[in-house]
Amino acid sequence: MWKNHLKVTLRHMARNKGYTFINVFGLTVGIAVCLLIFMWVNDELSYDRFHAKADRTYRALWEARFGENEWKIPNVPMPLGPTLEREFPEVESVTRFISGGYTMKQGEAFVREQNGVFVDPGFFDVFTVETIAGEPQAGLQQPNTIVLTEEMAQRYFGTENPVGKSIERNDGQLLQVVGIVREFPAQSHLQFDFMVSSDVLEYLKQRRDQWGSATVLTYFTLLPDSDPDLLQQKLLTYVEENVVDEDYAEGNNYTKFPFQALTDIHLGERLDGDVSQSGSMTSVWLFGIIAVFILLLACINFTNLTTARSVIRAQEVAVRKVLGSQRRQLIAQFFTEAVLYIGFGLVLAILLTGLVLPAFNAFSDKQLAMETLLTPRFLLTIVGFGALTTFLTGIIPATILSSFTPARILKDKVATLKGRNWLREGMVVMQFAISAGLIIGTLIVKDQLNFLQEKQLGFDQEHVLVINRATALRNNYAAFKEQLQTLPAVEEVTTAQGVPGDEFDSTVFVPEKPSNYEATSLTYSFVDADFVETMKIDMVEGRDFSVDMLTDSSACLINRSAAAKLGWEDPIGKSLNYGGYDERRIIGVTEDFSFRSLHHEVEPIVLLMTKWRLSKMAVRLRPGNVEEQIATIQAAWKTFAPQAPMEYSFLDQDFQQLYEGETRMAQVFGIFSLLAVFIACLGLFGLAAFLTQQRTKEIGVRKILGASTASLVGLLSKDFLKLVVIALVIASPLAWYLMNAWLEDFAYRIEIQWWVFVLAGILAVGIAFLTVSFQSIKAALTDPVESLRSE
């Protein structure tokens, strides 16, 4: 029986090559997109699950409010880790570490190795670290030792065993290699190239008992069957009773240390200062929904074309029934066709996935491999995927085609499906509603990104070269700055603790009375006298810093928002006590400027004048050959800091990286919108071709009676275009609601404009018209004599 079903199906496919191609190609593209997306989703959901204790490992965060300033960050005070280990028996092990880098000598050159971690021995108890050579955990307890990953060891020592050998830092210090470990998989929020003991960092020892300094990352594992929620409540009680002082307990102020599960970090909320850029659960859901939509479009194509062609297959069904075929046998026949189509589509989709996977990896910044499809989990997914697709594509055609009445079909020689046209039309509406929704979403995302790029930030980000780790200049710091100021390519130079786009610190300031607060937390940055001029920040009142004014060493600037927050109409001359020991006199108020991304509103900030060596230099360049300008600055750098490579970036590019997630989302939306429209049009093309073929004689009669080509095209196209318009009406409010929710993540956002929906409508209708009119024009231009001869 099944052999007969298979033979009939293959003959039917061979006899209708055009429709077979449309069905198989549509299913291939739809399934390939779904496979790619589900591989990406699987990768996102697998982060940090390779650790042996992943299910009971947590990270402590610091969440607090002081005055009007709130924060939630991954860095916590030094004493928190020992407190967890000492006071709470359900805590099995704790580790504290920070990320950092070293400049090392590789051959004759000095290389900055950015990706290091300074750890304590507990690191190996919390995380699963695979040792390749040496004894990393024991070795790091000795001074001047280092553990390398396999990749870094190969870069420095080639194929030699590096254990026992040394690497030289740029200060001449030798670090003995005591172990080689395997890199963490790509699916880890924490990545590193080397490990050094945290004991080498003196400032950690100084902060050993300080509960007020955000210093280290703290992770811990619980004993099996321990309740993290109960522990969190016990810790909150402990902190309130033993740590928090009166100021932090007054009014709305609070401080607490919530827990974040290790496996939730990558897809959890984005935290300032995190060790890596997190993913987004919203994106996981969004891409998953898009994958289902794309597959649904391909299934609708198959179903629509099959049911539309049922008028041709009606006599086949009638004859089969007369010869004794039961309805279940007919359903089995049509399900066999669906299985075969899906089988061809699935095989071709896997081949297509392999072809486009390298490009998809480059686009999505992933390292996905086809081997993923061979895992039991994914094979089961594919089988379920194929079964679901077969059911979706087979159930409607099989039910409809097997329901024809033989007597009526053989008498009338035609299957009348007028009562079922609503189903086919409904599926066309669904296709274009999905496509139109994606088009609208793409336009809104792009409009928001353009808004972010064009919005005035309160400073000039163009032509600013940022030199990182300027402290590597050491005693030549001031001389290097003076040298830069003499270069023709340089317009201005400033030094700062941070530039816009960096993470800024905050601390408690006590303002002069009267003010809105006894004390409040404010964001601040140490800068030199040239910061405002170099960044081209406007002054609102008062004056800028001046190197000629010796008293400016104890001065500060505030922005307009800080003045408003403190309640000062005339802030000039008033004082702010920084950290309880440094009295600063306000000499000027700047215009507000965006020192964080536009996800956040402009915040109050205090600029503190200092002559210390600061970590950043910002160099405003004159228009010219950028490569030559950078080469000139690098030559000067080598003169003053020969043992440290110059690390630099451009301010505008750094600021744009703050919207990398949104930019990638816009690209994804665009690509999937194109694919959705393509698949929808593929089905519409086949459907229009078939329905036009059914009206061949009607077209011939109308031409003989004088109908023009334009009128025939309009006649054949209007029904489809009506369905597209209905789809737009359905898609527009849904797209508005979803995109409005997405825009709420931005403090500065566009208002969704009416023209977005009009443009999306024009695009959808235009694409649909071009798709349908191709067949319409072809039919309208056919010789009417040939049309009347057709059967």
Side-chain angles (χ1 to χ4, degrees):
M1 180 63 72
W2 288 106
K3 183 184 292 186
N4 181 62
H5 290 333
L6 182 62
K7 186 184 299 183
V8 170
T9 299
L10 291 173
R11 286 176 179 173
H12 177 74
M13 294 175 72
R15 193 180 302 119
N16 301 276
K17 297 181 180 62
Y19 296 103
T20 298
F21 172 80
I22 290 174
N23 277 327
V24 172
F25 189 60
L27 288 168
T28 297
V29 174
I31 295 173
V33 170
C34 287
L35 290 176
L36 288 170
I37 291 178
F38 282 126
M39 288 171 70
W40 181 88
V41 168
N42 179 71
D43 185 84
E44 288 287 291
L45 294 175
S46 64
Y47 264 69
D48 296 307
R49 298 183 185 276
F50 63 93
H51 295 290
K53 303 175 183 177
D55 60 333
R56 49 192 178 96
T57 301
Y58 298 85
R59 176 171 74 171
L61 307 176
W62 190 6
E63 184 175 1
R65 175 189 176 99
F66 193 88
E68 293 298 306
N69 200 1
E70 295 181 79
W71 63 90
K72 188 174 184 180
I73 55 178
N75 297 90
V76 299
M78 286 286 292
L80 180 62
T83 299
L84 284 168
E85 203 163 23
R86 182 182 66 249
E87 300 291 336
F88 304 100
E90 56 265 59
V91 175
E92 181 181 64
S93 52
V94 177
T95 183
R96 299 174 297 175
F97 64 93
I98 67 169
S99 299
Y102 272 156
T103 299
M104 301 178 181
K105 191 171 184 180
Q106 185 177 6
E108 297 300 318
F110 289 97
V111 178
R112 180 66 182 177
E113 297 290 353
Q114 299 273 24
N115 200 20
V117 284
F118 296 80
V119 305
D120 62 17
F123 189 89
F124 296 86
D125 298 324
V126 173
F127 299 109
T128 301
V129 183
E130 183 180 348
T131 299
I132 296 176
E135 297 182 0
Q137 187 171 10
L140 283 180
Q141 298 181 40
Q142 306 299 318
N144 301 321
T145 56
I146 189 171
V147 171
L148 306 180
T149 62
E150 189 176 24
E151 190 275 333
M152 185 172 173
Q154 289 175 355
R155 280 195 283 118
Y156 278 80
F157 298 98
T159 58
E160 298 178 25
N161 182 3
V163 176
K165 300 182 184 298
S166 296
I167 294 180
E168 182 181 351
R169 287 192 344 198
N170 64 335
D171 60 359
Q173 177 68 56
L174 294 178
L175 300 174
Q176 184 182 17
V177 179
V178 293
I180 307 298
V181 298
R182 198 173 303 282
E183 296 85 358
F184 279 174
Q187 297 80 19
S188 172
H189 80 285
L190 175 63
Q191 298 288 343
F192 60 88
D193 292 326
F194 67 89
M195 288 190 283
V196 176
S197 172
S198 58
D199 288 341
V200 303
L201 302 176
E202 289 297 324
Y203 78 94
L204 293 186
K205 299 175 184 177
Q206 297 168 6
R207 297 184 181 183
R208 185 178 301 156
D209 300 316
Q210 293 182 10
W211 279 95
S213 297
T215 306
V216 291
L217 295 161
T218 298
Y219 292 69
F220 60 94
T221 58
L222 297 180
L223 292 171
D225 301 323
S226 297
D227 185 348
D229 294 330
L230 179 59
L231 173 62
Q232 192 163 304
Q233 186 58 47
K234 289 165 63 176
L235 176 63
L236 179 61
T237 302
Y238 178 89
V239 170
E240 290 174 346
E241 293 177 353
N242 299 279
V243 176
V244 178
D245 59 29
E246 293 181 2
D247 289 338
Y248 271 87
E250 290 181 353
N252 294 324
N253 295 342
Y254 65 85
T255 186
K256 55 186 178 180
F257 301 98
F259 302 155
Q260 185 179 34
L262 175 65
T263 52
D264 290 344
I265 292 175
H266 178 66
L267 294 177
E269 60 182 313
R270 293 188 178 185
L271 302 174
D272 292 339
D274 213 339
V275 291
S276 65
Q277 185 175 2
S278 62
S280 167
M281 183 58 77
T282 301
S283 295
V284 169
W285 279 106
L286 178 65
F287 288 178
I289 291 170
I290 288 175
V292 172
F293 280 167
I294 296 287
L295 181 63
L296 190 59
L297 290 176
C299 293
I300 288 174
N301 280 352
F302 180 89
T303 304
N304 255 348
L305 284 174
T306 305
T307 54
R309 291 178 57 80
S310 60
V311 293
I312 294 178
R313 311 219 30 203
Q315 291 188 21
E316 173 194 339
V317 172
V319 171
R320 282 173 172 269
K321 283 192 171 184
V322 169
L323 293 176
S325 292
Q326 299 179 6
R327 187 173 185 184
R328 61 182 176 81
Q329 293 174 313
L330 293 170
I331 290 175
Q333 169 65 54
F334 296 120
F335 259 108
T336 301
E337 293 184 12
V339 168
L340 207 56
Y341 275 107
I342 297 299
F344 283 136
L346 186 58
V347 171
L348 292 174
I350 292 173
L351 295 176
L352 181 60
T353 300
L355 288 175
V356 302
L357 189 58
F360 184 79
N361 279 335
F363 167 74
S364 61
D365 194 26
K366 289 287 186 183
Q367 299 176 23
L368 306 178
M370 288 298 291
E371 288 77 9
T372 306
L373 299 178
L374 300 178
T375 61
R377 178 180 174 183
F378 225 95
L379 287 173
L380 186 62
T381 301
I382 291 176
V383 171
F385 201 53
L388 176 62
T389 308
T390 301
F391 177 78
L392 291 175
T393 55
I395 186 64
I396 295 177
T399 302
I400 291 176
L401 292 172
S402 65
S403 66
F404 292 144
T405 304
R408 185 175 180 182
I409 298 300
L410 295 175
K411 177 181 178 182
D412 298 338
K413 295 186 180 181
V414 66
T416 56
L417 292 174
K418 291 183 179 178
R420 296 190 178 103
N421 282 345
W422 63 269
L423 179 62
R424 186 168 63 244
E425 292 175 352
M427 287 191 286
V428 172
V429 168
M430 186 184 298
Q431 277 187 308
F432 273 89
I434 294 171
S435 301
L438 289 173
I439 291 173
I440 292 169
T442 299
L443 294 174
I444 291 174
V445 170
K446 286 187 175 296
D447 196 26
Q448 173 67 12
L449 286 178
N450 289 337
F451 171 78
L452 296 178
Q453 292 168 353
E454 296 171 3
K455 180 172 171 52
Q456 296 299 314
L457 301 174
F459 67 95
D460 185 359
Q461 60 178 326
E462 303 294 330
H463 308 296
V464 177
L465 180 76
V466 178
I467 300 176
N468 300 299
R469 294 192 64 256
T471 49
L473 291 160
R474 299 180 184 173
N475 295 332
N476 295 323
Y477 192 92
F480 177 69
K481 181 182 176 184
E482 291 175 5
Q483 177 70 22
L484 291 184
Q485 290 172 325
T486 66
L487 297 178
V490 174
E491 184 178 330
E492 299 286 349
V493 183
T494 187
T495 61
Q497 181 184 7
V499 295
D502 289 336
E503 298 296 334
F504 285 76
D505 289 334
S506 63
T507 193
V508 175
F509 285 84
V510 179
E512 179 182 314
K513 304 298 179 292
S515 72
N516 288 343
Y517 306 96
E518 291 292 324
T520 188
S521 178
L522 293 172
T523 301
Y524 71 93
S525 180
F526 286 103
V527 300
D528 69 8
D530 303 310
F531 182 80
V532 171
E533 186 175 357
T534 301
M535 291 295 163
K536 297 189 182 299
I537 300 170
D538 293 334
M539 296 295 301
V540 177
E541 55 182 305
R543 66 175 177 84
D544 191 6
F545 296 123
S546 173
V547 292
D548 299 324
M549 301 287 290
L550 297 179
T551 56
D552 280 5
S553 60
S554 60
C556 69
L557 304 177
I558 61 175
N559 66 349
R560 189 194 292 268
S561 290
K565 175 178 178 177
L566 294 166
W568 290 335
E569 293 184 4
D570 183 16
I572 306 302
K574 289 187 167 53
S575 66
L576 283 172
N577 187 293
Y578 159 72
Y581 62 86
D582 189 357
E583 192 80 16
R584 294 285 180 141
R585 188 70 56 184
I586 298 171
I587 63 171
V589 179
T590 72
E591 187 58 82
D592 285 340
F593 61 98
S594 298
F595 55 88
R596 301 177 71 189
S597 76
L598 294 177
H599 291 90
H600 310 277
E601 293 184 358
V602 172
E603 298 176 0
I605 190 170
V606 182
L607 301 178
L608 303 168
M609 170 74 166
T610 185
K611 293 183 179 180
W612 302 342
R613 290 180 295 176
L614 299 171
S615 58
K616 301 271 187 175
M617 274 194 182
V619 184
R620 180 169 294 281
L621 302 174
R622 303 182 191 278
N625 188 312
V626 175
E627 292 183 0
E628 291 181 2
Q629 293 172 330
I630 294 175
T632 303
I633 294 172
Q634 284 180 318
W637 175 277
K638 288 180 181 178
T639 301
F640 292 101
Q643 292 184 312
M646 189 179 89
E647 303 170 38
Y648 66 91
S649 60
F650 281 92
L651 184 59
D652 56 346
Q653 295 175 359
D654 293 341
F655 219 79
Q656 288 306 311
Q657 285 183 354
L658 299 176
Y659 312 111
E660 184 177 358
E662 286 76 20
T663 302
R664 196 177 300 279
M665 182 179 176
Q667 294 170 338
V668 169
F669 252 117
I671 290 174
F672 288 140
S673 295
L674 286 174
L675 286 171
V677 171
F678 171 76
I679 294 174
C681 288
L682 193 66
L684 192 61
F685 180 85
L687 190 61
F690 175 74
L691 295 180
T692 300
Q693 181 184 2
Q694 295 300 107
R695 302 178 70 175
T696 302
K697 284 191 176 182
E698 176 190 346
I699 293 169
V701 172
R702 287 179 177 273
K703 287 198 72 173
I704 290 173
L705 295 176
S708 66
T709 300
S711 66
L712 289 173
V713 171
L715 174 69
L716 297 171
S717 303
K718 67 178 183 179
D719 290 339
F720 289 107
L721 298 182
K722 178 179 67 178
L723 298 178
V724 174
V725 172
I726 294 173
L728 284 167
V729 172
I730 295 172
S732 295
L734 291 174
W736 179 88
Y737 175 79
L738 293 174
M739 297 312 300
N740 201 54
W742 176 74
L743 287 169
E744 288 178 358
D745 189 42
F746 296 88
Y748 300 93
R749 46 162 288 182
I750 61 170
E751 292 297 327
I752 299 177
Q753 302 295 321
W754 60 269
W755 62 262
V756 171
F757 301 96
V758 173
L759 179 57
I762 291 173
L763 289 173
V765 171
I767 293 169
F769 179 75
L770 289 174
T771 304
V772 175
S773 63
F774 177 84
Q775 295 293 344
S776 303
I777 293 172
K778 179 180 176 182
L781 294 176
T782 302
D783 188 338
V785 175
E786 295 297 326
S787 299
L788 293 175
R789 284 179 179 171
S790 68
E791 289 294 334

